[in-house]
Amino acid sequence: MYGSDGIGDDEPLFRPYAVTGGRSEPRYHLAMETLISSMSIPDDEMALLTPEQEAIMQLCRSIRSVAEISALLRVPLGVARVLVADMSDEGLVRLHQPRLSQGQPDLNMLERVLSGLRRL
């Protein structure tokens, strides 16, 4: 995400840790491969979102992983985790946690994440 004024095209739209209150870890574990989707909310509530929340809502109209959100917003993974976890607590996004069977991740899920990362 870049500023519309053309200045600082290499810098993110916001200072990463300023929007998390300095937190680099969410209140609970959120794996980088966790898939995220936006919830439908009324337009009047969309107007109340922060620019960061709005960007995540737009990105997650298509299911995205936390890693993809981090890469597309050009913010550290810890910041993306905090933002997504906070949004989940507020009911703005839905988390699709990977299901582990006998301690092994789902191979199809890993292939989808890898495919998504290659498209970045």
Side-chain angles (χ1 to χ4, degrees):
M1 298 249 98
Y2 298 102
S4 60
D5 58 5
I7 298 172
D9 283 346
D10 292 336
E11 297 185 20
L13 178 63
F14 52 91
R15 296 190 187 272
Y17 292 99
V19 297
T20 65
R23 294 178 293 144
S24 62
E25 291 293 324
R27 292 181 182 93
Y28 50 87
H29 178 71
L30 190 60
M32 70 178 186
E33 67 271 12
T34 300
L35 299 176
I36 313 300
S37 61
S38 299
M39 301 294 287
S40 295
I41 64 171
D43 288 340
D44 59 332
E45 289 184 30
M46 279 291 280
L48 301 174
L49 298 178
T50 66
E52 302 80 33
Q53 290 173 322
E54 188 174 345
I56 291 171
M57 292 291 285
Q58 295 293 328
L59 284 174
C60 294
R61 286 185 174 168
S62 299
I63 294 179
R64 307 264 186 185
S65 70
V66 175
E68 287 177 292
I69 294 168
S70 172
L72 292 169
L73 293 181
R74 295 183 177 203
V75 297
L77 184 58
V79 170
R81 284 179 170 149
V82 170
L83 291 171
V84 167
D86 289 352
M87 289 177 71
S88 175
D89 290 345
E90 294 175 30
L92 298 172
V93 296
R94 176 176 288 143
L95 306 180
H96 307 275
Q97 295 280 10
R99 291 217 163 63
L100 300 178
S101 59
Q102 302 174 356
Q104 297 297 315
D106 177 24
L107 186 57
N108 286 331
M109 185 272 305
L110 290 176
E111 288 173 353
R112 287 192 313 267
V113 170
L114 182 58
S115 174
L117 291 173
R118 284 184 179 143
R119 287 183 296 213
L120 292 177

